[in-house]
Amino acid sequence: MLVVFSCRPQEKKQLKVEKIKHYQIKNIEYNILVNNDFETFDIKKIYENNADGLGKTYELTKNITIEENAGDKGSWFVKNELANNSLYSTYKEFYQSGKIKSKGPKFKEDCKIGIWYDFDEIGKLIKELDLDKPFKITIEDIIEYLKDNEADLYSSFTSINRSYEEETKKAKWSLIYRGIYKDKPGMFMIEIDDSRAEIVKVVKILGKEGEKEFFLKNRKLFCEIIV
């Protein structure tokens, strides 16, 4: 097998910094999906005709789909509730006893957002944490950005992730989507500095050959992999 890896940096004129629009929207849609009530997992149900506790998916109603999974020998249980045509799901973790451990909303099934609740093993609420608080950019800002760039929000190709470092107070967003970037179509990975609401890195996947094109603030770096 012959692998050739080459990178050809190309100096470019200073690019205009691209900002993410901040709409100051306070969306309560996903926070009202979850409350701090104690609840339990139906352990008996997941093991019905399913001795290994393999994942189950079923419809709670015509509009709500439930996904359930169990850990090895019932060491833990999880439940994800997703409404049809909704971008938000409710994720719940349970102790081995079936008592609630934590719960909160997610964007689709990937990104934790909004208010999360933690419980101890006897069912007492011990923590309420607003995961949106450290971020300047809101999930709505990101959704609007993806819409503007013709991404299909419901597609499996579209994902949103974010991270926050308590020590450095730095927050960032990572997006993957199929759509456009600066009017060019393709599959993109975008990195956003939350504090400045600036796009700091764009990676375009060019094709099956594994080629990638990197766009940084003030220079362009093209990397090609040939196998």
Side-chain angles (χ1 to χ4, degrees):
M1 179 180 292
L2 175 64
V3 178
V4 179
F5 181 82
S6 63
C7 290
R8 302 189 297 277
Q10 300 174 348
E11 297 295 336
K12 297 181 74 69
K13 295 181 180 179
Q14 180 70 33
L15 298 177
K16 182 180 179 181
V17 174
E18 185 176 359
K19 290 274 190 178
I20 299 295
K21 295 177 183 178
H22 190 39
Y23 297 90
Q24 299 287 349
I25 298 173
K26 296 296 183 180
N27 190 335
I28 63 171
E29 178 183 348
Y30 52 80
N31 277 326
I32 63 175
L33 294 175
V34 188
N35 57 43
N36 62 0
D37 292 346
F38 171 78
E39 56 186 287
T40 58
F41 186 86
D42 191 341
I43 297 176
K44 183 179 179 180
K45 185 174 181 179
I46 198 171
Y47 286 110
E48 287 178 353
N49 303 315
N50 183 29
D52 295 326
L54 301 177
K56 281 187 172 182
T57 300
Y58 59 91
E59 286 191 353
L60 181 64
T61 68
K62 290 184 178 180
N63 295 320
I64 303 292
T65 299
I66 303 292
E67 296 177 357
E68 295 182 338
N69 281 283
D72 185 41
K73 297 180 180 180
S75 56
W76 50 260
F77 302 97
V78 296
K79 177 188 291 187
N80 195 69
E81 302 175 3
L82 179 64
N84 295 345
N85 301 317
S86 175
L87 293 172
Y88 307 113
S89 66
T90 303
Y91 185 81
K92 301 176 183 179
E93 298 180 2
F94 299 83
Y95 291 104
Q96 189 173 21
S97 64
K99 294 179 180 179
I100 188 68
K101 181 179 182 180
S102 68
K103 56 180 174 178
K106 286 185 175 185
F107 172 81
K108 295 173 71 175
E109 300 176 15
D110 302 321
C111 183
K112 287 185 175 182
I113 53 178
I115 298 174
W116 278 69
Y117 304 98
D118 291 343
F119 301 79
D120 65 16
E121 293 192 52
I122 63 173
K124 181 181 177 181
L125 178 67
I126 56 175
K127 185 188 293 184
E128 180 177 322
L129 185 62
D130 186 351
L131 298 183
D132 293 340
K133 191 173 182 180
F135 294 89
K136 176 182 177 181
I137 299 172
T138 69
I139 192 73
E140 292 83 2
D141 299 333
I142 298 298
I143 288 172
E144 289 303 316
Y145 173 82
L146 290 170
K147 286 180 179 178
D148 290 343
N149 286 278
E150 300 181 5
D152 180 356
L153 294 169
Y154 298 92
S155 169
S156 59
F157 289 106
T158 304
S159 70
I160 297 175
N161 283 287
R162 63 184 183 179
S163 62
Y164 176 73
E165 296 179 5
E166 185 64 43
E167 292 183 3
T168 61
K169 307 299 181 184
K170 289 184 178 180
K172 70 176 182 179
W173 295 76
S174 299
L175 317 180
I176 299 176
Y177 69 93
R178 177 177 286 171
I180 61 171
Y181 177 75
K182 294 187 180 299
D183 298 323
K184 294 182 179 179
M187 186 83 176
F188 298 95
M189 292 183 284
I190 309 288
E191 187 174 304
I192 302 164
D193 183 308
D194 181 84
S195 62
R196 304 195 307 269
E198 292 178 5
I199 293 177
V200 295
K201 184 178 180 180
V202 180
V203 178
K204 180 183 180 183
I205 309 299
L206 296 180
K208 295 181 179 179
E209 292 78 12
E211 299 175 351
K212 294 182 179 180
E213 193 169 6
F214 295 80
F215 299 90
L216 304 180
K217 277 186 179 180
N218 57 1
R219 66 186 309 189
K220 177 181 176 183
L221 180 65
F222 176 78
C223 294
E224 183 178 28
I225 301 175
I226 304 174
V227 179

